[in-house]
Amino acid sequence: MPPLPYACLQVPGGLAALDDFEALFRDVDFRPGTELAFSTAADGSGVTLVRADGAALGAVRLPAFGRALFGLYLGNGSMSPGAKAEVVAGLSALLQG
């Protein structure tokens, strides 16, 4: 298996999960303003759902994939420097009601 950027994907099925994730976007027409939402199941089963413009696109069923995906935005060396701060601010506002 070639090296992956996240050690948690260096598990059986890691590369297949990346292929599955890529396949979810093959028929998506990305336009300015398109929003994507990623979520994982509360029970920790690792199901990562992907939605674009309110339409369910599918899921990747590998717990390590969810950790890697969210790590891109919320982990150390985030690909979106402001994402972690925005998530914290949003959670704070949500909890304060």
Side-chain angles (χ1 to χ4, degrees), residues 31-90:
R31 296 173 186 224
T34 298
E35 294 184 14
L36 300 175
F38 306 97
S39 64
T40 60
D43 67 0
S45 63
V47 176
T48 302
L49 301 174
V50 182
R51 295 181 171 272
D53 301 331
L57 294 177
V60 177
R61 301 183 185 278
L62 180 70
F65 184 79
R67 289 189 297 276
L69 179 64
F70 287 102
L72 286 171
Y73 295 95
L74 303 175
N76 294 332
S78 169
M79 65 181 243
S80 178
K84 193 182 292 189
E86 288 179 30
V87 168
V88 170

